[in-house]
Amino acid sequence: MTSDSTKQSLTQVLSSSVLRYLRLLIEDARLATAEKLTMLLSAVAFFALLVIVGVVALVFISIGIGQFLTATVAPVWAYTYIAGFYVLVFLALIIFRRALFVDPIARFISRLIVEAPKPSKPAENESDSK
């Protein structure tokens, strides 16, 4: 074998290895994206179902409390008290929306997309001084 043919075969092996590596990187990115999207969409679906079931339960609980209050006050006032309670809850949700919604969602998305940094090993002289 001549050095020219060796050089050519080495170039061919190297280029095929680089192409294979790039294809594997692309496949890894596709799989990672699919995993993240699956986790995100399953969380959205879960919380959507949770909200739907919660709203239905809240409606029935409100009707029950309204019926219970009609024994002590007029029915109009009983349901007005319940509506007032929900207005207060609505205002509290508006006031604390960042702490209740924005921050938890941002933490979830950032944990999903950005990997946590790996803890570094402490230097030997730092552990000796403690």
Side-chain angles (χ1 to χ4, degrees), residues 3 6 14-16 37 47-48 53 57 60 63 67 69 74 80 91 100 107 119 121-122 124 126 128:
S3 68
T6 306
L14 184 62
S15 65
S16 67
L37 279 174
F47 284 109
V53 171
F60 284 112
I63 291 171
Q67 291 295 324
L69 286 176
T80 303
L91 290 174
L100 293 173
R107 274 193 302 273
K121 294 180 183 177
E124 289 181 22
E126 286 181 20
D128 292 340

Side-chain angles (χ1 to χ4, degrees), residues 17-52:
S17 296
V18 168
L19 281 174
R20 185 168 190 272
Y21 177 71
L22 290 175
R23 282 190 208 112
L24 288 174
L25 280 178
I26 291 170
E27 185 67 22
D28 181 54
R30 287 178 54 220
L31 290 173
T33 303
E35 176 192 14
K36 308 286 184 187
L37 279 174
T38 300
M39 291 174 62
L40 179 64
L41 293 176
S42 65
V44 167
F46 173 74
F47 284 109
L49 287 174
L50 194 68
V51 166
I52 290 169

Side-chain angles (χ1 to χ4, degrees), residues 77-88:
W77 286 110
Y79 289 105
T80 303
Y81 293 154
I82 293 171
F85 172 76
Y86 285 126
V87 167
L88 290 176

Side-chain angles (χ1 to χ4, degrees), residues 4 8 10 13 26 34 50 53 58 66 74 78 80 87 94 98-99 120 128:
D4 195 33
Q8 191 177 29
L10 187 61
V13 168
I26 291 170
L50 194 68
V53 171
L58 203 56
T80 303
V87 167
I94 289 174
R98 181 166 181 96
S120 60
D128 292 340

Side-chain angles (χ1 to χ4, degrees), residues 102-119:
V102 176
D103 292 344
I105 291 172
R107 274 193 302 273
F108 175 72
I109 297 293
S110 65
R111 267 189 284 132
L112 193 63
I113 295 173
V114 180
E115 292 184 21
K118 294 182 170 67

